[in-house]
Amino acid sequence: MASDWVGSLVSIHCGATLGVYQGEVSSVDQTSQTISLRHPFHNGVKCTVPEVTFSAMDIKDLKILEIRKSFNEAPKQNGPDSSSTLTPHGGRKDKGGGAPVNSAPVTVPNKTEPKLQEGGLSPVPHYSKSYGERHMDMAGQSKGFRRRHNSWSSSCRGPNQATPKKNGLKNGGHMKNKDDECFGDGMEDVLDEDFDFEGNLALFDKAAVFSQIESSERRGNGARSRGTPGEQTPSRYRHDENILEAKPVVYRQITVPYNVTKEYSTDSGLVVPSISFELHKRLLAAAESHGLSLERRLEMTGVCASQMALTLLGGPNRLTPKNVHQRPTVALLCGPHVQGAQGISCGRHLANHEVEVILFLPNFVKMLEAITSELALFGKTGGKLVSNVKDLPETPVDLVINCLDSHENGFLRDQPWYKAAADWANQNRAPVLSIDPPVSGQAHAVEAKWSLSLGLPLPLSEGAGRVYLCDIGIPRQVFQEVGIKYHSPFGCKFVIPLHSE
């Protein structure tokens, strides 16, 4: 009878518009040709109404997911119901000749062997018994209960069954096939139980394990001991700190044969004493006697000074191929002496690095051979050479390099060209870098922001700005010849900053 189907779980396909409904059969009315489902699900989503009634006209396909147990165990009747008969496809038909209630086959899908319709995958998703029961049970669970649950789990789908969507069927009534092997791994039942972190942590005796490690390190007559008894070792080390025992650091590694008037220190704390101009002159003469000629010294000074100038101009942030439209401009003020030749060498290297260099050098009838050779090389770079202050830029430049002063010829400061060039540098708002400035006994006509000393620094005044030191390649034994105990403070660099003590 029709009431025998009450309590069975069925899946009703109502076409692409209405979608698919699943639920428990609550009533079957043969007179009005309707069927009602309680606790219905529409396209996999639980409905808000407790019961839904369908007409036979709307039903396209009906599948029985689970037959009521009492119905399965009931004894077989001698024949079909007096009011209806089974159709060849397993449906029921009124004896009076009415339309069949359902022409679809009665299929009870197996969880391990899903049934396929003719022509490919069934467009209607199959649901096992655990699907409906699981959703009804989860409604009463507390929010604090953690459970990994997938509505479309592998236990409810075959390995090749398509994943249903809310908007119904697509692409001509066939859902897009999904590879459920990525989602259905059969592990849901295992993951239903929460892992007991506190219980497993209690099984681990951390104190006993660490005690065993400490005792093992003290074995073997202290062979693996981290230190001698009573020695206090730091609990933490910096990432750049050496944990191995080393000799004490000696910060005063450079000593001079007389009392020092001024001392400097490097970033690492090494003490660098200043030397007088007379000792500095003897040092350069000793280096020249061993092959470090003036030309080699000028080249080394020019390289170090240009590297420092390029850094002050912005380095890689300024000198890039994409920044050609705003090349930096450097004004180079040089006098007719060795310090001026050092500045011309620096200007040549800057011009080779795409810096716009404007070299100021007054006209003299006779000049040093070093200046003449440096000017010839500078002329090949395309840099601009001027001999009048009026030809210097009226607008501020990026950097001014001062090489006007000489250690020996102090009378040059009274020359008109010197005063005009110094006034231009002071009026221009660009920062000033002085190369090899004079000692503190002489006043600085141009206030510098940075000063670069050679080999060892001279005792400079406050007007020299921040002092830097460059390595010009003098060997250690040459320092020893003039009475200086020397150890290089440069490390991996050729130009280092110095700090006044």
Side-chain angles (χ1 to χ4, degrees):
M1 298 177 62
S3 59
D4 294 336
W5 300 99
V6 175
S8 301
L9 297 179
V10 298
S11 174
I12 300 176
H13 182 206
C14 299
T17 303
L18 298 179
V20 181
Y21 288 82
Q22 300 87 22
E24 180 183 351
V25 178
S26 60
S27 65
V28 178
D29 191 345
Q30 296 180 353
T31 303
S32 60
Q33 293 291 296
T34 59
I35 182 172
S36 299
L37 302 182
R38 68 166 65 99
H39 306 301
F41 285 81
H42 180 217
N43 292 333
V45 180
K46 186 175 180 61
C47 298
T48 57
V49 294
E51 189 175 80
V52 179
T53 302
F54 302 91
S55 175
M57 299 176 59
D58 299 329
I59 299 175
K60 305 298 182 182
D61 190 11
L62 186 147
K63 290 185 179 295
I64 301 176
L65 304 181
E66 179 183 352
I67 301 176
R68 191 177 59 176
K69 184 176 181 182
S70 60
F71 179 74
N72 293 333
E73 295 177 355
K76 296 183 179 180
Q77 299 178 358
N78 296 330
D81 191 287
S82 59
S83 60
S84 62
T85 60
L86 290 175
T87 64
H89 298 288
R92 293 185 178 272
K93 181 178 180 182
D94 292 340
K95 286 185 177 182
V101 176
N102 181 20
S103 60
V106 179
T107 55
V108 181
N110 193 343
K111 183 180 295 187
T112 58
E113 297 181 0
K115 299 295 183 179
L116 301 180
Q117 286 187 350
E118 182 179 359
L121 295 175
S122 173
V124 182
H126 293 235
Y127 296 87
S128 65
K129 177 181 179 181
S130 61
Y131 177 83
E133 294 179 353
R134 184 179 305 167
H135 282 78
M136 287 186 290
D137 294 342
M138 287 184 64
Q141 291 179 352
S142 62
K143 296 182 179 180
F145 180 75
R146 300 189 302 270
R147 180 177 180 180
R148 179 181 178 269
H149 176 72
N150 185 1
S151 298
W152 305 91
S153 63
S154 60
S155 62
C156 301
R157 298 187 303 239
N160 296 321
Q161 188 172 348
T163 303
K165 298 183 179 179
K166 293 184 179 181
N167 55 357
L169 302 178
K170 295 183 179 179
N171 299 328
H174 293 281
M175 290 187 176
K176 186 177 180 181
N177 186 22
K178 300 290 184 180
D179 188 1
D180 290 341
E181 293 182 359
C182 298
F183 309 100
D185 53 2
M187 295 295 295
E188 281 196 358
D189 296 337
V190 179
L191 297 176
D192 283 346
E193 298 181 1
D194 287 348
F195 181 76
D196 188 4
F197 288 94
E198 296 181 358
N200 284 269
L201 185 61
L203 299 177
F204 175 67
D205 192 354
K206 184 166 60 175
V209 173
F210 279 98
S211 177
Q212 183 180 1
I213 294 174
E214 293 289 341
S215 61
S216 62
E217 289 181 349
R218 288 193 292 266
R219 292 198 194 104
N221 297 326
R224 297 180 58 188
S225 177
R226 284 184 283 185
T228 57
E231 180 182 358
Q232 296 181 355
T233 58
S235 58
R236 294 183 179 180
Y237 293 93
R238 298 195 313 270
H239 67 281
D240 58 347
E241 185 176 357
N242 186 11
I243 63 174
L244 301 178
E245 294 185 2
K247 297 180 180 179
V249 180
V250 178
Y251 292 99
R252 190 176 296 274
Q253 300 179 0
I254 303 175
T255 58
V256 295
Y258 57 84
N259 294 330
V260 179
T261 58
K262 192 171 186 178
E263 288 185 340
Y264 300 91
S265 62
T266 64
D267 290 339
S268 58
L270 298 178
V271 179
V272 179
S274 63
I275 59 176
S276 63
F277 172 70
E278 290 75 14
L279 184 57
H280 192 271
K281 188 176 179 180
R282 287 170 50 200
L283 177 62
L284 296 180
E288 188 171 354
S289 64
H290 288 283
L292 188 61
S293 61
L294 176 61
E295 290 77 10
R296 299 178 68 177
R297 195 169 76 239
L298 291 177
E299 188 69 18
M300 194 66 186
T301 304
V303 171
C304 293
S306 61
Q307 287 182 350
M308 181 177 177
L310 290 173
T311 303
L312 297 176
L313 290 172
N317 298 325
R318 180 77 181 275
L319 301 170
T320 59
K322 297 181 180 180
N323 207 17
V324 183
H325 61 285
Q326 50 179 2
R327 293 170 54 190
T329 303
V330 175
L332 197 59
L333 308 179
C334 298
H337 38 64
V338 176
Q339 284 70 29
Q342 295 173 164
I344 299 173
S345 175
C346 174
R348 170 167 55 88
H349 289 288
L350 290 176
N352 290 337
H353 287 266
E354 302 300 327
V355 177
E356 186 177 350
V357 180
I358 303 174
L359 173 61
F360 169 78
L361 182 67
N363 284 327
F364 283 89
V365 177
K366 186 178 180 180
M367 290 192 180
L368 296 176
E369 183 181 355
I371 294 181
T372 304
S373 60
E374 288 295 336
L375 279 177
L377 289 174
F378 179 79
K380 302 299 181 180
T381 62
K384 185 178 179 181
L385 174 63
V386 298
S387 58
N388 195 333
V389 178
K390 295 181 180 180
D391 297 330
L392 291 173
E394 297 180 359
T395 58
V397 295
D398 293 282
L399 181 65
V400 174
I401 299 180
N402 178 27
C403 299
L404 295 173
D405 294 305
S406 174
H407 296 288
E408 298 176 334
N409 299 329
F411 66 90
L412 293 176
R413 298 189 177 190
D414 299 331
Q415 299 294 324
W417 61 267
Y418 183 96
K419 294 181 180 180
D423 292 340
W424 178 89
N426 291 327
Q427 292 176 5
N428 196 285
R429 286 176 286 182
V432 179
L433 168 63
S434 294
I435 300 178
D436 196 11
V439 295
S440 58
Q442 303 177 11
H444 295 275
V446 179
E447 292 293 330
K449 188 174 182 179
W450 307 282
S451 293
L452 182 63
S453 297
L454 312 180
L456 284 177
L458 301 175
L460 303 178
S461 62
E462 298 296 332
R466 187 173 183 182
V467 181
Y468 284 77
L469 185 66
C470 75
D471 184 9
I472 57 176
I474 302 177
R476 181 186 300 182
Q477 293 185 2
V478 176
F479 283 96
Q480 296 177 356
E481 288 184 10
V482 296
I484 300 176
K485 181 182 177 182
Y486 181 81
H487 185 81
S488 175
F490 292 97
C492 61
K493 300 179 180 180
F494 283 89
V495 179
I496 59 174
L498 297 180
H499 309 279
S500 299
E501 291 292 337

